[in-house]
Amino acid sequence: MYVAGGAKIVGRRAWDGRTAARYERYMRTAEASGNFEAAAEWEERGQRFREARHRRRMDLLHSPLDMAKGAGISVGMGIGGLVLLGIAMAVATKDVTDVVTPLMAVVEFINLMITIVQVVWGPALTIGPFLALLALWSVGAHQKAAPQWALPPNVRTGEGEPITPSIVVKALRDLGIPALRKAITDMGDGGASMLSPIVIAGCGVEVDVTLPSGVSTVEVQSKRRKLAENLSRHEHELFITIPPAARTVRLWIADSGALDEPIGPSPLVTDETMTADYAKGRAPWGQDLRGDAALLSPFQRMVLITGMSNQGKTAALRAYALWLALDRTVEFHIADLKGVGDWAMFKGLAAVLIQGPTDDHVIQATEMVEGGVAEMNRRLLAPAGTEFPPLILLVDEAQVAFMCPVKDEEKRPYGGSSQTSRYFMACRKIHNQGRAVNVLLWQGTQDPTDQNLPKLVREGAHTRASLALGTESQSRMALGDKAVNGGAAPHLLRPGLDKGTLVVASDGIEIPKGQSSITVRTHFIDDDAAEAIAARAKALRGEVTTLHAIASEDEERDPLADILAAMGDKPRLLTQDVLRALAALNADAYSRWTFADLKRVLEAHGEEPKKSHGRMSVHRDHVVRALAHRDDVGSASTSG
């Protein structure tokens, strides 16, 4: 079969060399792609080829006579030269017989050549056909010019085979789209003009395919699995996106098995000097498919990360937060509604850290977000030009909050998506105005539905990312219709095998021009490394007092006791840190407090802030002493 295929290839090459068939093919290809200017150019080249061929054929009519004349003159001159050479030899040797010696030497040489030909001619006639067949076989084997069923198994599978233009065109031709197959068949170059140059892109290659008229990009996108198999790849090793050019699809084809290899460690782990910048920095989140660093900006962007359970959602969200924790100006309020300790390293970093899956924890998380709303409103009412430090309200496993059935004393549900749902409305308020004053909501949730992730909440996020999902409808919920229509397909990621791989739609990350999303393989940071990064952040910014509960706003406040609670077990705390911790404890009661309010309460009990290393601080012992003194006075008054 290789011999037959090789003969066909050699025959076609010979035909192309002798005729204008090549130019005809290129002209038809240009016409099929709508490039009539190129078609006219190829037609002109073909005409010049025909004219040159005609001149050569006309020259052949006169060539026999010219050759005969030339041969006669050449023979005469040759014999004359040999005779002159013989005469010179005869004069030199004084032997007249040497006159014919050169002529006889030529005759003997010709006789030797005839003898050699007579000896070789027979074996050559026998071996020649076998050599010709061997040459044809070599051409056919090199081009794999045999039916698929006849190829050896290692050749037929093509596993890991390099991607070439012919392989791409053949994969498109066999895609099962009649209009595409007909157009490729009609193209003189077999469809090669459809392809841009194939370029190396990370652990794979990238090529743009300009589709012929009558074939839509949607038709190709919908046949991703078949196209991947035609390219000898698995479905997850092919990504189809839509570039800016009309009627074009961009194929990124991974090297076989490359996506199953882990990426390197996070720069947060390898570079202990790394710091963060909320306004101008970008988090080193992972790598895109090209192998370039995927850098994500947090500046004034709400975040939503979703995906199936146990696919790396918390790890991705935590890695993002750990980087931002290296900016000492950022304050975190965190509610982990899973409660298995994934966020435990943020104790001493976060002003609020709620951990647990119960309804009580949902209530606490809701009041935390509502506290963020109160802080947002306070900032919005501040004088124009006031700068505010970033406040990140982070809720992991947010679907637990949306699905909570508990109602408060006024019969308002904590969960749900109605106008009276407390968690839902708090999220909506922050989405509406929070970014203007750097109050941001980050949420992680799983298996999005309209019930556990309402439409208004998911569309309020500026950065939307998704791990593996079950259906295309879930992908549309997670990333939006525009991203999915542009090729985003988290529902085609492999659960369990593509852990940590996210499809991201955001203006905070560099996305190739014309695309609406990008696929990112995030760096995994384990618990030990996370603890080490958190320790660096605490050393950089100073450890803060972490509250593990949010006080209910209808409780009667005891400012002195709250100051002690806000300080935690710290022996001394700066007054501004005390004010920040009090606001986190109860925003309604303390978000508007100033240094004067703090000083007033302490002075009323015989204590006041004092300078420590040149900065005003509150000493825990002084607060304890004030409380003890107040209790002693209260006891004496009662006994009196």
Side-chain angles (χ1 to χ4, degrees):
M1 300 306 295
Y2 277 158
V3 170
K8 184 177 179 181
I9 292 172
V10 171
R12 184 169 182 175
R13 289 175 180 173
W15 180 257
D16 286 346
R18 300 289 296 174
T19 68
R22 177 188 292 109
Y23 302 96
E24 294 288 344
R25 285 202 307 273
Y26 290 155
M27 185 174 67
R28 289 198 302 271
T29 299
E31 288 176 347
S33 61
N35 191 345
F36 297 105
E37 182 178 348
E41 181 180 349
W42 284 113
E43 184 179 18
E44 183 181 351
R45 290 186 181 184
Q47 187 61 34
R48 289 201 299 267
F49 172 82
R50 293 186 185 93
E51 291 174 357
R53 182 180 62 185
H54 177 70
R55 286 196 300 271
R56 290 195 301 271
R57 288 176 176 174
M58 294 301 296
D59 291 342
L60 287 175
L61 297 176
H62 305 284
S63 59
L65 182 60
D66 293 339
M67 290 177 62
K69 291 181 180 178
I73 294 173
S74 298
V75 169
M77 292 179 64
I79 293 174
L82 291 172
V83 170
L84 289 175
L85 178 62
I87 293 172
M89 291 176 62
V91 171
T93 61
K94 296 183 173 52
D95 185 356
V96 72
T97 60
D98 284 342
V99 172
V100 295
T101 297
L103 287 173
M104 294 307 298
V106 171
V107 171
E108 290 176 359
F109 176 77
I110 293 173
N111 185 56
L112 177 63
M113 291 297 102
I114 293 173
T115 302
I116 292 174
V117 169
Q118 288 175 338
V119 172
V120 172
W121 185 252
L125 287 178
T126 304
I127 300 174
F130 293 100
L131 294 176
L133 290 175
L134 181 61
L136 294 177
W137 179 91
S138 177
V139 172
H142 180 72
Q143 298 290 334
K144 305 294 186 294
Q148 193 72 9
W149 58 265
L151 292 173
N154 61 324
V155 176
R156 185 167 59 246
T157 58
E159 188 70 26
E161 188 177 8
I163 299 299
T164 63
S166 61
I167 288 175
V168 176
V169 171
K170 187 175 183 300
L172 292 167
R173 186 194 67 193
D174 298 339
L175 203 52
I177 303 175
L180 180 59
R181 183 180 184 89
K182 184 177 185 303
I184 292 175
T185 304
D186 292 342
M187 291 180 183
D189 63 350
S193 61
M194 298 167 53
L195 309 183
S196 70
I198 298 177
V199 296
I200 296 175
C203 57
V205 296
E206 189 173 81
V207 59
D208 285 357
V209 180
T210 302
L211 301 175
S213 178
V215 182
S216 72
T217 56
V218 176
E219 289 180 281
V220 177
Q221 282 183 305
S222 65
K223 294 181 176 291
R224 179 190 181 199
R225 174 175 293 181
K226 187 171 184 179
L227 180 56
E229 292 172 350
N230 289 350
L231 292 166
S232 301
R233 295 295 188 270
H234 297 291
E235 184 178 13
H236 71 277
E237 294 175 327
L238 170 67
F239 288 82
I240 306 173
T241 53
I242 309 299
R247 214 172 67 238
T248 303
V249 293
R250 177 168 294 160
L251 307 181
W252 184 86
I253 308 160
D255 297 336
S256 186
L259 294 184
D260 297 326
E261 299 294 329
I263 63 174
S266 169
L268 286 172
V269 177
T270 58
D271 184 1
E272 295 186 357
T273 64
M274 178 174 284
T275 58
D277 187 332
Y278 163 78
K280 299 178 181 179
R282 290 176 179 264
W285 213 17
Q287 294 179 359
D288 62 18
L289 296 178
R290 290 173 169 267
D292 299 328
L295 306 175
L296 182 63
S297 169
F299 181 64
Q300 294 187 342
R301 291 178 176 88
M302 311 290 173
V303 176
L304 172 65
I305 299 179
T306 187
M308 298 173 68
S309 177
N310 195 32
Q311 297 305 307
K313 168 180 53 62
T314 297
L317 188 59
R318 188 176 71 180
Y320 192 25
L322 282 169
W323 174 81
L324 193 55
L326 296 173
D327 182 342
R328 59 190 306 168
T329 67
V330 179
E331 181 177 342
F332 287 94
H333 294 186
I334 298 175
D336 173 17
L337 298 181
K338 188 190 315 182
V340 295
D342 288 334
W343 296 88
M345 69 289 302
F346 274 81
K347 181 180 179 182
L349 276 178
V352 177
L353 180 58
I354 299 165
Q355 301 180 90
T358 67
D359 290 341
D360 288 338
H361 293 101
V362 171
I363 293 171
Q364 293 290 328
T366 301
E367 291 173 346
M368 180 192 80
V369 178
E370 289 175 338
V373 174
E375 172 63 13
M376 176 189 73
N377 291 334
R378 182 188 71 81
R379 295 183 178 190
L380 289 169
L381 296 174
T386 305
E387 293 185 3
F388 302 103
L391 172 60
I392 306 299
L393 304 168
L394 192 154
V395 182
D396 196 11
E397 304 296 342
Q399 77 279 355
V400 178
F402 284 113
M403 299 301 290
C404 179
V406 176
K407 297 182 179 181
D408 63 13
E409 296 176 354
E410 297 178 4
K411 303 300 182 183
R412 293 183 301 167
Y414 285 93
S417 58
S418 68
Q419 296 299 314
T420 59
S421 300
R422 291 180 58 177
Y423 182 79
F424 169 75
M425 290 306 298
C427 293
R428 288 291 301 131
K429 290 174 182 177
I430 292 176
H431 280 168
N432 288 339
Q433 296 178 298
R435 66 185 300 270
V437 289
N438 290 328
V439 177
L440 305 178
L441 178 63
W442 293 7
Q443 295 184 98
T445 184
Q446 61 179 254
D447 288 333
T449 66
D450 286 328
Q451 289 71 42
N452 66 24
L453 188 59
K455 178 181 175 65
L456 292 177
V457 171
R458 60 183 185 250
E459 291 186 350
H462 305 96
T463 294
R464 299 169 72 172
S466 177
L467 296 117
L469 288 171
T471 64
E472 181 178 330
S473 62
Q474 286 184 313
S475 296
R476 293 183 181 277
M477 292 180 188
L479 300 176
D481 290 336
K482 179 180 178 181
V484 175
N485 291 339
H491 55 285
L492 296 180
L493 294 174
R494 301 167 299 165
L497 297 177
D498 289 325
K499 277 188 175 182
T501 299
L502 288 161
V503 182
V504 183
S506 171
D507 62 351
I509 192 170
E510 186 175 349
I511 296 177
K513 185 178 179 181
Q515 295 180 204
S516 54
S517 65
I518 187 171
T519 301
V520 176
R521 303 173 71 196
T522 58
H523 295 294
F524 175 71
I525 301 176
D526 61 29
D527 290 344
D528 292 339
E531 291 282 1
I533 297 168
R536 297 205 317 259
K538 292 171 188 176
L540 180 69
R541 60 163 63 203
E543 194 166 346
V544 302
T545 301
T546 299
L547 303 179
H548 296 277
I550 303 296
S552 178
E553 60 184 65
D554 58 356
E555 291 180 1
E556 185 177 347
R557 307 308 312 168
D558 182 348
L560 194 60
D562 285 345
I563 292 172
L564 183 63
M567 294 186 68
D569 56 358
K570 301 293 190 304
R572 183 176 63 250
L573 205 60
L574 297 177
T575 53
Q576 61 188 25
D577 291 335
V578 174
L579 291 171
R580 188 180 296 114
L582 285 170
L585 181 65
N586 190 292
D588 289 335
Y590 299 117
S591 62
R592 293 180 175 83
W593 265 37
T594 63
F595 172 73
D597 296 312
L598 180 61
K599 183 178 179 182
R600 172 179 51 78
V601 170
L602 292 174
E603 285 181 341
H605 295 86
E607 303 291 345
E608 63 178 336
K610 293 180 172 60
K611 280 192 175 183
S612 175
H613 302 289
R615 303 182 68 181
M616 297 302 294
S617 304
V618 177
H619 293 257
R620 189 176 188 280
D621 291 343
H622 297 176
V623 180
V624 172
R625 185 168 60 199
L627 278 170
H629 177 69
R630 185 187 68 178
D631 293 342
D632 291 342
V633 172
S635 299
S637 299
T638 303
S639 61

mmCIF file of all heavy atoms in Angstrom, residues 224 238-240 466-469 471-472 475 479 483-494 503 517 519:
data_model
loop_
_atom_site.group_PDB
_atom_site.id
_atom_site.type_symbol
_atom_site.label_atom_id
_atom_site.label_comp_id
_atom_site.label_asym_id
_atom_site.label_seq_id
_atom_site.Cartn_x
_atom_site.Cartn_y
_atom_site.Cartn_z
ATOM 1 N N ARG A 224 -16.126 19.423 19.382
ATOM 2 C CA ARG A 224 -14.802 19.463 19.997
ATOM 3 C C ARG A 224 -14.221 18.063 20.202
ATOM 4 O O ARG A 224 -13.062 17.806 19.896
ATOM 5 C CB ARG A 224 -14.885 20.195 21.335
ATOM 6 C CG ARG A 224 -13.561 20.275 22.073
ATOM 7 C CD ARG A 224 -13.748 20.793 23.479
ATOM 8 N NE ARG A 224 -12.487 20.897 24.197
ATOM 9 C CZ ARG A 224 -12.382 20.962 25.508
ATOM 10 N NH1 ARG A 224 -13.471 20.936 26.245
ATOM 11 N NH2 ARG A 224 -11.208 21.063 26.095
ATOM 12 N N LEU A 238 -7.723 19.748 23.777
ATOM 13 C CA LEU A 238 -8.046 20.680 22.696
ATOM 14 C C LEU A 238 -8.943 21.784 23.238
ATOM 15 O O LEU A 238 -9.957 21.501 23.872
ATOM 16 C CB LEU A 238 -8.750 19.950 21.540
ATOM 17 C CG LEU A 238 -9.360 20.843 20.453
ATOM 18 C CD1 LEU A 238 -8.251 21.567 19.693
ATOM 19 C CD2 LEU A 238 -10.232 20.032 19.508
ATOM 20 N N PHE A 239 -8.563 23.032 22.993
ATOM 21 C CA PHE A 239 -9.376 24.181 23.390
ATOM 22 C C PHE A 239 -9.684 24.989 22.139
ATOM 23 O O PHE A 239 -8.789 25.318 21.351
ATOM 24 C CB PHE A 239 -8.642 25.043 24.420
ATOM 25 C CG PHE A 239 -8.558 24.400 25.782
ATOM 26 C CD1 PHE A 239 -7.588 23.459 26.054
ATOM 27 C CD2 PHE A 239 -9.466 24.720 26.775
ATOM 28 C CE1 PHE A 239 -7.501 22.851 27.297
ATOM 29 C CE2 PHE A 239 -9.399 24.120 28.019
ATOM 30 C CZ PHE A 239 -8.413 23.191 28.280
ATOM 31 N N ILE A 240 -10.971 25.293 21.958
ATOM 32 C CA ILE A 240 -11.430 26.037 20.783
ATOM 33 C C ILE A 240 -11.958 27.382 21.246
ATOM 34 O O ILE A 240 -12.899 27.442 22.047
ATOM 35 C CB ILE A 240 -12.532 25.267 20.031
ATOM 36 C CG1 ILE A 240 -12.062 23.850 19.678
ATOM 37 C CG2 ILE A 240 -12.947 26.017 18.778
ATOM 38 C CD1 ILE A 240 -13.149 22.984 19.077
ATOM 39 N N SER A 466 -14.370 29.482 37.232
ATOM 40 C CA SER A 466 -15.053 28.209 37.442
ATOM 41 C C SER A 466 -14.093 27.047 37.251
ATOM 42 O O SER A 466 -13.325 27.007 36.286
ATOM 43 C CB SER A 466 -16.234 28.061 36.481
ATOM 44 O OG SER A 466 -16.853 26.798 36.645
ATOM 45 N N LEU A 467 -14.169 26.094 38.173
ATOM 46 C CA LEU A 467 -13.504 24.800 38.010
ATOM 47 C C LEU A 467 -14.440 23.882 37.240
ATOM 48 O O LEU A 467 -15.396 24.346 36.615
ATOM 49 C CB LEU A 467 -13.142 24.241 39.380
ATOM 50 C CG LEU A 467 -12.127 25.085 40.151
ATOM 51 C CD1 LEU A 467 -12.761 25.599 41.426
ATOM 52 C CD2 LEU A 467 -10.880 24.309 40.456
ATOM 53 N N ALA A 468 -14.187 22.595 37.281
ATOM 54 C CA ALA A 468 -15.009 21.639 36.540
ATOM 55 C C ALA A 468 -16.465 21.714 37.001
ATOM 56 O O ALA A 468 -16.748 21.776 38.201
ATOM 57 C CB ALA A 468 -14.467 20.227 36.732
ATOM 58 N N LEU A 469 -17.369 21.703 36.034
ATOM 59 C CA LEU A 469 -18.807 21.706 36.304
ATOM 60 C C LEU A 469 -19.459 20.570 35.528
ATOM 61 O O LEU A 469 -18.859 19.975 34.631
ATOM 62 C CB LEU A 469 -19.430 23.049 35.909
ATOM 63 C CG LEU A 469 -19.104 24.237 36.818
ATOM 64 C CD1 LEU A 469 -19.599 25.540 36.193
ATOM 65 C CD2 LEU A 469 -19.714 24.054 38.200
ATOM 66 N N THR A 471 -22.601 20.671 33.741
ATOM 67 C CA THR A 471 -23.388 20.937 32.541
ATOM 68 C C THR A 471 -23.030 22.302 31.962
ATOM 69 O O THR A 471 -22.459 23.159 32.644
ATOM 70 C CB THR A 471 -24.896 20.918 32.851
ATOM 71 O OG1 THR A 471 -25.199 21.995 33.762
ATOM 72 C CG2 THR A 471 -25.304 19.601 33.485
ATOM 73 N N GLU A 472 -23.418 22.493 30.709
ATOM 74 C CA GLU A 472 -23.190 23.788 30.061
ATOM 75 C C GLU A 472 -24.023 24.882 30.722
ATOM 76 O O GLU A 472 -23.577 26.028 30.834
ATOM 77 C CB GLU A 472 -23.525 23.694 28.573
ATOM 78 C CG GLU A 472 -23.285 25.004 27.824
ATOM 79 C CD GLU A 472 -23.578 24.910 26.347
ATOM 80 O OE1 GLU A 472 -23.412 23.815 25.781
ATOM 81 O OE2 GLU A 472 -23.982 25.943 25.760
ATOM 82 N N SER A 475 -22.160 26.200 33.508
ATOM 83 C CA SER A 475 -21.073 27.054 33.032
ATOM 84 C C SER A 475 -21.573 28.449 32.719
ATOM 85 O O SER A 475 -20.898 29.448 32.997
ATOM 86 C CB SER A 475 -20.425 26.436 31.780
ATOM 87 O OG SER A 475 -19.814 25.199 32.084
ATOM 88 N N LEU A 479 -20.018 31.711 34.548
ATOM 89 C CA LEU A 479 -19.184 32.655 33.805
ATOM 90 C C LEU A 479 -19.978 33.642 32.956
ATOM 91 O O LEU A 479 -19.407 34.653 32.524
ATOM 92 C CB LEU A 479 -18.219 31.888 32.894
ATOM 93 C CG LEU A 479 -17.256 30.933 33.586
ATOM 94 C CD1 LEU A 479 -16.427 30.180 32.549
ATOM 95 C CD2 LEU A 479 -16.339 31.674 34.538
ATOM 96 N N ALA A 483 -19.010 34.549 27.855
ATOM 97 C CA ALA A 483 -17.799 33.733 27.970
ATOM 98 C C ALA A 483 -18.013 32.351 27.364
ATOM 99 O O ALA A 483 -17.144 31.835 26.642
ATOM 100 C CB ALA A 483 -17.389 33.612 29.429
ATOM 101 N N VAL A 484 -19.155 31.733 27.633
ATOM 102 C CA VAL A 484 -19.416 30.386 27.112
ATOM 103 C C VAL A 484 -19.577 30.428 25.598
ATOM 104 O O VAL A 484 -19.058 29.563 24.877
ATOM 105 C CB VAL A 484 -20.657 29.777 27.789
ATOM 106 C CG1 VAL A 484 -21.010 28.431 27.161
ATOM 107 C CG2 VAL A 484 -20.408 29.602 29.284
ATOM 108 N N ASN A 485 -20.265 31.441 25.080
ATOM 109 C CA ASN A 485 -20.403 31.566 23.629
ATOM 110 C C ASN A 485 -19.053 31.795 22.965
ATOM 111 O O ASN A 485 -18.865 31.453 21.791
ATOM 112 C CB ASN A 485 -21.349 32.716 23.285
ATOM 113 C CG ASN A 485 -22.783 32.410 23.675
ATOM 114 O OD1 ASN A 485 -23.164 31.251 23.835
ATOM 115 N ND2 ASN A 485 -23.593 33.447 23.840
ATOM 116 N N GLY A 486 -18.119 32.367 23.702
ATOM 117 C CA GLY A 486 -16.780 32.603 23.169
ATOM 118 C C GLY A 486 -15.838 31.426 23.316
ATOM 119 O O GLY A 486 -14.666 31.542 22.985
ATOM 120 N N GLY A 487 -16.325 30.312 23.842
ATOM 121 C CA GLY A 487 -15.497 29.113 23.926
ATOM 122 C C GLY A 487 -15.195 28.623 25.323
ATOM 123 O O GLY A 487 -14.613 27.551 25.491
ATOM 124 N N ALA A 488 -15.560 29.382 26.374
ATOM 125 C CA ALA A 488 -15.317 28.918 27.742
ATOM 126 C C ALA A 488 -16.138 27.656 27.998
ATOM 127 O O ALA A 488 -17.339 27.630 27.733
ATOM 128 C CB ALA A 488 -15.690 30.006 28.748
ATOM 129 N N ALA A 489 -15.492 26.634 28.544
ATOM 130 C CA ALA A 489 -16.184 25.352 28.714
ATOM 131 C C ALA A 489 -15.725 24.639 29.976
ATOM 132 O O ALA A 489 -15.124 23.555 29.901
ATOM 133 C CB ALA A 489 -15.977 24.473 27.486
ATOM 134 N N PRO A 490 -15.991 25.205 31.163
ATOM 135 C CA PRO A 490 -15.603 24.475 32.389
ATOM 136 C C PRO A 490 -16.336 23.149 32.546
ATOM 137 O O PRO A 490 -15.860 22.268 33.266
ATOM 138 C CB PRO A 490 -15.966 25.466 33.509
ATOM 139 C CG PRO A 490 -16.932 26.421 32.902
ATOM 140 C CD PRO A 490 -16.580 26.517 31.461
ATOM 141 N N HIS A 491 -17.476 22.991 31.866
ATOM 142 C CA HIS A 491 -18.198 21.713 31.953
ATOM 143 C C HIS A 491 -17.461 20.601 31.194
ATOM 144 O O HIS A 491 -17.823 19.429 31.330
ATOM 145 C CB HIS A 491 -19.622 21.875 31.405
ATOM 146 C CG HIS A 491 -19.682 22.426 30.004
ATOM 147 N ND1 HIS A 491 -19.448 23.745 29.724
ATOM 148 C CD2 HIS A 491 -19.920 21.827 28.816
ATOM 149 C CE1 HIS A 491 -19.563 23.952 28.421
ATOM 150 N NE2 HIS A 491 -19.840 22.797 27.848
ATOM 151 N N LEU A 492 -16.448 20.960 30.405
ATOM 152 C CA LEU A 492 -15.662 19.949 29.699
ATOM 153 C C LEU A 492 -14.361 19.617 30.424
ATOM 154 O O LEU A 492 -13.611 18.744 29.966
ATOM 155 C CB LEU A 492 -15.356 20.422 28.273
ATOM 156 C CG LEU A 492 -16.574 20.618 27.361
ATOM 157 C CD1 LEU A 492 -16.139 21.072 25.984
ATOM 158 C CD2 LEU A 492 -17.404 19.344 27.271
ATOM 159 N N LEU A 493 -14.079 20.303 31.536
ATOM 160 C CA LEU A 493 -12.940 19.921 32.356
ATOM 161 C C LEU A 493 -13.229 18.577 33.019
ATOM 162 O O LEU A 493 -14.388 18.235 33.272
ATOM 163 C CB LEU A 493 -12.654 20.988 33.417
ATOM 164 C CG LEU A 493 -12.196 22.353 32.893
ATOM 165 C CD1 LEU A 493 -12.097 23.353 34.044
ATOM 166 C CD2 LEU A 493 -10.867 22.238 32.177
ATOM 167 N N ARG A 494 -12.188 17.836 33.345
ATOM 168 C CA ARG A 494 -12.357 16.487 33.885
ATOM 169 C C ARG A 494 -12.362 16.530 35.407
ATOM 170 O O ARG A 494 -11.336 16.849 36.015
ATOM 171 C CB ARG A 494 -11.232 15.584 33.391
ATOM 172 C CG ARG A 494 -11.131 15.457 31.889
ATOM 173 C CD ARG A 494 -9.814 14.816 31.515
ATOM 174 N NE ARG A 494 -8.679 15.633 31.957
ATOM 175 C CZ ARG A 494 -7.428 15.192 32.031
ATOM 176 N NH1 ARG A 494 -7.150 13.946 31.679
ATOM 177 N NH2 ARG A 494 -6.462 15.986 32.439
ATOM 178 N N VAL A 503 -11.437 28.243 34.540
ATOM 179 C CA VAL A 503 -11.735 29.090 33.393
ATOM 180 C C VAL A 503 -12.146 30.441 33.959
ATOM 181 O O VAL A 503 -13.097 30.531 34.734
ATOM 182 C CB VAL A 503 -12.845 28.489 32.519
ATOM 183 C CG1 VAL A 503 -13.089 29.386 31.308
ATOM 184 C CG2 VAL A 503 -12.481 27.083 32.067
ATOM 185 N N SER A 517 -12.450 34.739 27.770
ATOM 186 C CA SER A 517 -12.051 33.992 28.965
ATOM 187 C C SER A 517 -10.668 33.413 28.738
ATOM 188 O O SER A 517 -10.138 33.441 27.621
ATOM 189 C CB SER A 517 -13.052 32.873 29.279
ATOM 190 O OG SER A 517 -13.039 31.893 28.240
ATOM 191 N N THR A 519 -8.067 30.031 30.336
ATOM 192 C CA THR A 519 -7.938 28.859 31.199
ATOM 193 C C THR A 519 -6.644 28.966 31.996
ATOM 194 O O THR A 519 -5.574 29.193 31.423
ATOM 195 C CB THR A 519 -7.945 27.566 30.366
ATOM 196 O OG1 THR A 519 -9.169 27.493 29.625
ATOM 197 C CG2 THR A 519 -7.841 26.346 31.271
#
